Structure formats: structure tokens, C-alpha cells
């Protein structure tokens, strides 16, 4: 069924009964279900990317997608040439009471977030982020949100809400970027 600009249904005879509201609702449900399946696929890939993270506190993965094709991937860690988080925060240091404070200082100074790595890699291979969807295992922080806005990404889908602040989500929404929290429906979808 195709609707032309003057709203006539093409391909049907004038006597064919049609319930436009029901047909449109069905088409929207099919589109929503397809989108859910794609979202689930790319969130699962972001989760796999997170496994490569070298951070001892939070492993985060990201996938940048355009037209249901992966453009770039990323995970959080240090830039090439620096010691990794796990090399500094060994199990004996993680058990110390000041671990979170010390790790926070280290992370702010040296770690690159998954979203940042994803956007940076897209730039390194001359791929535009314009109109892309960013899938991430953790909702974006304020700094990553600024990069998302500046790069032209149009939608962000996150798996888990960042526990320390939601300023990133607020900025994205303020700038008109669609933000969706992925909720897994289980194996039935």
C-alpha cells in the first residue's frame, strides 16, 4: 500500500474496504518491533565491546550505527602508551578504602570514555557521525554528551543509567537529540 501526495491509496480498487487507522497502527507496531530488534542487537554488541575495557571500576562499551550498519566501536580505557587502569589498580589497591577516590582522580586525568573512543575512531577513518545512532552500555556523561551534540549524532540508546549524574542525558534532550533507555523484553521479542 502506498499513499500518494493527494492521499489516494495506490494499488487498491475503489471498492476495496480499508481501515486506515488499523493498517497504520499495524505498520507502526511492525516498525517498532523491528527497531527493538535492531536496538537489542546493537546493545548486545556494545556489551561485548565493554568486555575489552581496561577499567577496574566500570566497563563501558559503545557502538556507532548508521542505517543499521556499524560505523565504529569503542570502549573505555587509557590512550595508547599509558598504563592501563588494571595495571595501576591491582586487586590489593581495589580493596583499600580510598580506591574510589583515587580511581576517580586517575580516570579524570587519563581515561577516555567509550563514546569518546567511538567518535574519535569514526573521525580517524573519515566517517561522518551525522545522523548516526550511538548505542552505549552506560548513559553518557556531560563531556561525552557535548561530543555527541558536536558530532551530529541524532539518537542515543543506553543500557544502564549512569549512577553519579544525568547531566549528559539532560544536555542531549535539551539539544533535541533522541535519548532512549533500552529495556530488554527478554527472548520473546
Amino acid at each position: 500500500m502506498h499513499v500518494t501526495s493527494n492521499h489516494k491509496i495506490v494499488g487498491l480498487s475503489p471498492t476495496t474496504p480499508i481501515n486506515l487507522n488499523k493498517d497504520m497502527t499495524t505498520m507502526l507496531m511492525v516498525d517498532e518491533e523491528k527497531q527493538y530488534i535492531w536496538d537489542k542487537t546493537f546493545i548486545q554488541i556494545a556489551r561485548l565491546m565493554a568486555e575489552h575495557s581496561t577499567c577496574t571500576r566500570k566497563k563501558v562499551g559503545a557502538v556507532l550505527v548508521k542505517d543499521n550498519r556499524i560505523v565504529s566501536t569503542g570502549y573505555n580505557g587509557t590512550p595508547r602508551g599509558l598504563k592501563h587502569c588494571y595495571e595501576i589498580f591491582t586487586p590489593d589497591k581495589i580493596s583499600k578504602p580510598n580506591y574510589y577516590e583515587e580511581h576517580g582522580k586517575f580516570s579524570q586525568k587519563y581515561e577516555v570514555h567509550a563514546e569518546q573512543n567511538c567518535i574519535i575512531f569514526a573521525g580517524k577513518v573519515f566517517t561522518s557521525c551525522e545522523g548516526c545512532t550511538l548505542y552505549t552500555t552506560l548513559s553518557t556523561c556531560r563531556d561525552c554528551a557535548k561530543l555527541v551534540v558536536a558530532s551530529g549524532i541524532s539518537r542515543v540508546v543506553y543500557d544502564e543509567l549512569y549512577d553519579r549524574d544525568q547531566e549528559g542525558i539532560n544536555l542531549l534532550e535539551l539539544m533535541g537529540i533522541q535519548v532512549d533507555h533500552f529495556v530488554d523484553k527478554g527472548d520473546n521479542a
Side-chain angles (χ1 to χ4, degrees), residues 72-85:
S72 182
T73 59
Y75 52 87
N76 59 325
T78 57
R80 191 177 316 157
L82 291 176
K83 279 192 172 187
H84 293 289
C85 179

Side-chain angles (χ1 to χ4, degrees), residues 29-148:
M29 286 173 43
V30 169
D31 286 346
E32 286 176 9
E33 187 60 25
K34 284 181 183 175
Q35 187 60 62
Y36 169 79
I37 291 167
W38 281 114
D39 288 351
K40 183 174 182 175
T41 298
F42 294 125
I43 282 292
Q44 289 172 333
I45 293 169
R47 289 173 185 159
L48 288 172
M49 291 307 302
E51 292 176 16
H52 294 280
S53 169
T54 59
C55 183
T56 57
R57 184 179 184 278
K58 194 71 169 170
K59 295 186 176 298
V60 182
V63 179
L64 191 61
V65 173
K66 176 95 176 207
D67 299 326
N68 295 328
R69 300 282 186 229
I70 296 173
V71 172
S72 182
T73 59
Y75 52 87
N76 59 325
T78 57
R80 191 177 316 157
L82 291 176
K83 279 192 172 187
H84 293 289
C85 179
Y86 70 83
E87 294 174 304
I88 294 169
F89 296 100
T90 54
D92 61 312
K93 290 185 180 176
I94 291 173
S95 62
K96 303 237 177 186
N98 66 343
Y99 163 69
Y100 287 109
E101 180 184 336
E102 291 301 312
H103 180 273
K105 290 176 188 174
F106 171 83
S107 180
Q108 283 189 338
K109 249 182 171 176
Y110 301 113
E111 285 187 314
V112 179
H113 291 187
E115 303 94 325
Q116 294 168 338
N117 269 324
C118 203
I119 293 168
I120 290 166
F121 183 76
K124 283 174 75 171
V125 295
F126 306 104
T127 302
S128 172
C129 297
E130 194 72 37
C132 286
T133 297
L134 178 68
Y135 292 87
T136 181
T137 57
L138 190 64
S139 62
T140 58
C141 70
R142 178 184 55 235
D143 291 333
C144 288
K146 290 186 277 189
L147 281 175
V148 166

Side-chain angles (χ1 to χ4, degrees), residues 161-181:
L161 187 66
Y162 184 45
D163 61 348
R164 291 190 273 180
D165 80 62
Q166 285 77 52
E167 287 183 42
I169 291 175
N170 297 339
L171 176 62
L172 294 173
E173 289 174 341
L174 176 70
M175 297 306 295
I177 294 171
Q178 181 180 340
V179 179
D180 296 315
H181 179 198

